[in-house]
Amino acid sequence: MSSTRTVPPAGSDRAAVALHARHLSTGRARLAAMFGNVVEQSARGAEVTCSDGRTYLNCGGYGVFLTGAAHPAVVAAVQRQAARLPLSTRLFLDPVSGPAAEALTGVAPAGLERAYFCGSGTEAVEAAVKLARAHGRRRLVSMRNGYHGKTLGALSLTANPLYQDPFRPLLPDVRHLPFGDPDALAAALADGGEDACVVVEPVQSEAGVIVPRPGYLAAVAALCREHGAFLVVDEVMTGLGRLGSWWGCAAEGVVPDVLVTGKALSGGVLPVAAMLATQAAFEPFDADPFLHTSTYSGAPIAMAAVTATIGVVRDEGLVERAAAIGARLLPALRAAAAERAPGLVREVRGAGLLIGIEWADAWAAGEFLLEMVERGVVVNHSLNAHPVVRLTPPAVLTPAQETRLRTAVEGSLSALAKSLT
């Protein structure tokens, strides 16, 4: 059927917004209008160039860009694989997924020797829940305000009624406990944990960058061992160096039954995630290769990205760089908030390059995000904590870009404080 509606020229900002509104999401198009209907055109490293002619410092992207966008080594590996064997028949073995699994398990906590690859963090969580079910773990325990994805099983663990209520009933026998409270977990497992699967993040990112007291994750692991519960650590956001260590759980000497990872695993190039497991935990999937499958699981083109990304993180010292940059940024941002917006910012907290700025109310957080964009820096809001703006800078920040970020935060704080007083 033909249409008489006027369509803006292809490639224009107006065309992109119109097509989003017509075919994708009117809500997303309205959100774009808040930011001037800007359309991203290209990205490299810590910067993204947009249709308004400006180049923005990318400290958003929901944690994906630890290595920066389009890292040359990852792009080259993907291009080589795309020209040779981007996808496989799934009947024969491919030559790429094995090396990718070896590379990933080689930097994982000791004992996590088995890998299942997928396209997103929520898929990895689904695989972990199914693996736990295969071991008879019917009860699920996650933490309040935690975030594990929005597919049905992962959504059952994501403890936010805003996202859950439209889709009920969800999985049964799911309990949400206070994060950072090992006593609450002890009480929940007191009647026996042999049928329980506990899912926890080292740092709750979407909850507003909630960093537990040291020893919390180790206490959770000890309780799971004591009561026979199955432990899944969700490191989709925190893993591969984001916190200034390879893994949040490794920093406390914790080896879970299952670890899920993603986001940074993409190298800023291709969507990919993974579930890692111990040999004992992985046994149901190991015995039957068709028990849990996906057409694009372990796609050669994505596996090339994984191997290259791990090489970049290791060879460029990005874990150490994340720790060093974070050690400078966090105190600097705390001092700026105290000096320039006293009483407006409740707290600046974080670990490594996962930093949250909590405002007195959600309105102020939204205004701060807009101020940062005006100053050429992209940051993110928190899905489960609207008063918190999150900064997830890449570990490839140059000294000049680090200064640019600090200057933008200081200017935004001052502007917002002035407008509110």
Side-chain angles (χ1 to χ4, degrees):
M1 181 182 296
S2 63
S3 172
T4 59
R5 290 177 295 183
T6 301
V7 178
S12 72
D13 295 357
R14 289 177 56 227
V17 174
L19 290 171
H20 267 79
R22 185 177 304 168
H23 299 298
L24 295 169
S25 167
T26 55
R28 182 68 180 85
R30 287 194 301 269
L31 183 62
M34 292 177 57
F35 299 99
N37 292 325
V38 172
V39 178
E40 296 181 20
Q41 300 292 335
S42 63
R44 177 61 62 91
E47 296 182 331
V48 55
T49 301
C50 295
S51 57
D52 59 357
R54 300 181 66 188
T55 295
Y56 294 81
L57 185 64
N58 186 6
C59 297
Y62 298 97
V64 166
F65 298 105
L66 184 76
T67 60
H71 192 287
V74 183
V75 170
V78 167
Q79 288 175 332
R80 288 193 300 269
Q81 193 60 45
R84 184 182 302 122
L85 180 72
L87 300 176
S88 66
T89 66
R90 306 308 302 270
L91 176 64
F92 307 120
L93 293 179
D94 71 81
V96 200
S97 55
E102 183 175 50
L104 182 55
T105 58
V107 298
L112 297 176
E113 301 172 352
R114 294 298 185 124
Y116 170 80
F117 289 102
C118 50
S120 65
T122 192
E123 291 179 68
V125 171
E126 294 284 349
V129 170
K130 288 182 68 177
L131 189 56
R133 284 284 184 96
H135 283 278
R137 311 311 174 97
R138 303 296 176 180
R139 282 195 297 154
L140 294 174
V141 177
S142 65
M143 308 305 154
R144 293 174 191 166
N145 296 318
Y147 187 88
H148 304 286
K150 290 177 180 168
T151 51
L152 202 63
L155 181 60
S156 302
L157 297 167
T158 296
N160 188 334
L162 177 66
Y163 308 121
Q164 290 184 331
D165 286 350
F167 306 104
R168 296 188 186 279
L170 301 172
L171 293 183
D173 300 324
V174 181
R175 186 172 179 181
H176 306 303
L177 304 178
F179 182 68
D181 186 349
D183 292 338
L185 179 60
L189 298 178
D191 59 347
E194 295 84 359
D195 64 342
C197 171
V198 176
V199 184
V200 64
E201 301 160 270
V203 174
Q204 286 191 318
S205 177
E206 295 292 357
V209 190
I210 306 302
V211 183
R213 290 189 300 273
Y216 168 66
L217 202 61
V220 168
L223 286 167
C224 288
R225 287 195 303 270
E226 177 184 350
H227 295 281
F230 194 92
L231 177 59
V232 176
V233 175
D234 184 340
E235 297 235 27
V236 171
M237 171 66 81
T238 59
L240 293 165
R242 173 61 63 185
L243 300 182
S245 59
W246 273 99
W247 310 96
C249 63
E252 293 207 357
V254 170
V255 179
D257 296 291
V258 168
L259 180 150
V260 292
T261 185
K263 295 192 183 294
L265 192 61
S266 67
V269 176
L270 265 179
V272 66
M275 178 194 74
L276 301 176
T278 65
Q279 177 61 52
F282 197 75
E283 180 57 35
F285 284 8
D286 198 28
D288 184 348
F290 298 108
L291 190 62
H292 182 76
T293 60
S294 171
T295 299
Y296 295 113
S297 170
I301 193 170
M303 298 301 92
V306 167
T307 303
T309 297
I310 293 167
V312 166
V313 174
R314 181 188 60 241
D315 298 342
E316 296 188 10
L318 297 191
V319 177
E320 295 78 11
R321 289 172 67 177
I325 296 171
R328 292 190 297 267
L329 274 180
L330 190 58
L333 300 187
R334 282 175 175 157
E339 176 186 349
R340 296 170 183 262
L344 299 178
V345 175
R346 288 179 176 168
E347 187 180 15
V348 180
R349 54 182 176 262
L353 292 179
L354 177 57
I355 298 172
I357 301 176
E358 182 176 359
W359 290 80
D361 58 55
W363 178 87
E367 290 298 311
F368 176 75
L369 192 152
L370 290 170
E371 290 285 351
M372 289 291 286
V373 170
E374 182 66 24
R375 286 164 175 77
V377 179
V378 176
V379 294
N380 288 133
H381 69 292
S382 298
L383 290 176
N384 285 350
H386 294 167
V388 181
V389 174
R390 285 179 303 156
L391 284 66
T392 52
V396 296
L397 280 184
T398 65
Q401 290 168 336
E402 189 178 334
T403 299
R404 179 181 173 188
L405 171 57
R406 291 171 58 172
T407 301
V409 171
E410 291 166 359
S412 298
L413 289 167
S414 296
L416 193 50
K418 182 178 180 180
S419 70
L420 292 176
T421 57

